[in-house]
């Protein structure tokens, strides 16, 4: 599995671009076009080229020339990673207490520490909380997706799966870093809620045209896509009343709906002009 980058880095923006657009345009993009597009998001050509090399080394992209133009194409592993993200990124997962829980109980031999690290990282990436060194827990809605990914990673032989029904607020607070997650939602709203309010009020200079819509949509989704990885959609009854997950999703959806189609039209017009 390709390790996720931090939001707003060139590598993260390329992954976000791939998820939003690359499959639709044939899974291949010229380097020169990608440099132009990410330049709109404030990334330098050097930073983009370096990020492409790193994503190639991780197996997410492969270099490929077409019509004498250097470019990159999504690998099978890259396509699989994006498919996993598709299932969660554009919906707000919110379990109920009645849904129950899934526990991943694992034991990895000491001489296979790398496998243990991969397993823990994968479960964390899926939003599982840490009960103990060899036990992770998540809402039951994540069970099938988690088991499928663990199998694809070749780690299924280390894990036994169990279900449970009763978890309390104190346990949730101990097993997930809710303070850190609350802070990330607050940062998201601090950045994007004023933008949504300005656009809704029709304020002058709030709308930056189709090129701006492309760049803003890319930055928005890049900022948002961390949450489906780290927030498993815990039941609202187990969270504090000031929890901002749903409000953050509402702001995200409002801006995405406003920017996605103009940004898409800009992208296709630019690719037509470049002769791709």
């Amino acid at each position: 599995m390709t390790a996720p980058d931090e939001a707003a880095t060139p590598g993260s923006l390329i992954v976000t671009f791939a998820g939003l657009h690359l499959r639709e345009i044939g899974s291949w993009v010229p380097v020169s076009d990608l440099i132009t597009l990410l330049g709109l998001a404030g990334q330098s050509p050097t930073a983009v080229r370096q990020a492409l090399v790193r994503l190639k080394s991780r197996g997410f992209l492969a270099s490929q020339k077409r019509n004498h133009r250097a470019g990159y194409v999504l690998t099978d592993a890259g396509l699989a990673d994006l498919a996993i993200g598709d299932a969660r990124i554009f919906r707000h997962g919110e379990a109920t207490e009645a849904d129950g829980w899934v526990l991943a109980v694992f034991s990895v031999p000491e001489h296979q520490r790398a496998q243990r690290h991969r397993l823990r990282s994968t479960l964390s990436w899926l939003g599982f909380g840490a009960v103990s060194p060899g036990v992770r827990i998540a809402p039951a809605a994540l069970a099938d997706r988690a088991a499928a990914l663990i199998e694809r990673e070749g780690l299924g032989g280390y894990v036994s799966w169990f279900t449970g029904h009763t978890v309390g607020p104190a346990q949730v607070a101990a097993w997930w870093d809710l303070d850190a997650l609350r802070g990330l939602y607050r940062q998201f709203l601090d950045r994007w809620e004023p933008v949504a309010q300005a656009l809704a009020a029709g304020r002058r200079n709030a709308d930056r045209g189709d090129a701006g819509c492309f760049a803003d949509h890319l930055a928005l989704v890049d900022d948002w896509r961390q949450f489906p990885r780290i927030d498993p959609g815990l039941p609202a009854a187990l969270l504090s009343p000031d929890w901002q997950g749903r409000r953050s999703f509402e702001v995200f959806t409002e801006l995405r709906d406003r920017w996605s189609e103009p940004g898409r039209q800009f992208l296709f017009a630019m690719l037509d002009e470049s002769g791709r």
Side-chain angles (χ1 to χ4, degrees), residues 101 127-130 137-139 171-179 230 232 234:
W101 304 85
F128 276 66
I137 187 170
Q171 293 165 310
V172 165
W175 297 339
W176 281 273
D177 191 347
L178 298 183
D179 287 340
I230 58 179
L234 297 168

Side-chain angles (χ1 to χ4, degrees), residues 250-267:
E250 291 170 352
V251 170
F252 166 71
T253 301
E254 179 182 342
L255 292 174
R256 181 200 69 186
D257 290 348
R258 186 181 189 102
W259 289 334
S260 60
E261 187 54 30
R264 180 179 177 276
Q265 292 176 1
F266 169 80
L267 169 65

Side-chain angles (χ1 to χ4, degrees), residues 2 5 9-29 34 37-38 51-52 55 59-62 72-75 77-86 89-90 214 217-219 221-222 225 267-268 276:
T2 302
D5 295 279
T9 67
S12 177
L13 288 167
I14 292 170
V15 172
T16 300
F17 174 81
L20 289 173
H21 303 296
L22 191 50
R23 289 168 292 183
E24 186 179 7
I25 64 175
S27 296
W28 178 84
V29 63
L34 194 56
L37 291 165
L38 265 66
L52 286 168
L55 288 169
F60 185 81
L61 297 172
Y72 282 83
V73 65
L74 276 167
T75 64
L79 286 166
D81 278 354
L82 294 178
I84 293 169
D86 289 344
I89 192 168
F90 295 122
F214 172 84
H217 183 227
L218 186 69
V221 176
D222 190 64
R225 71 181 180 89
L267 169 65
F268 276 84
R276 182 191 174 280

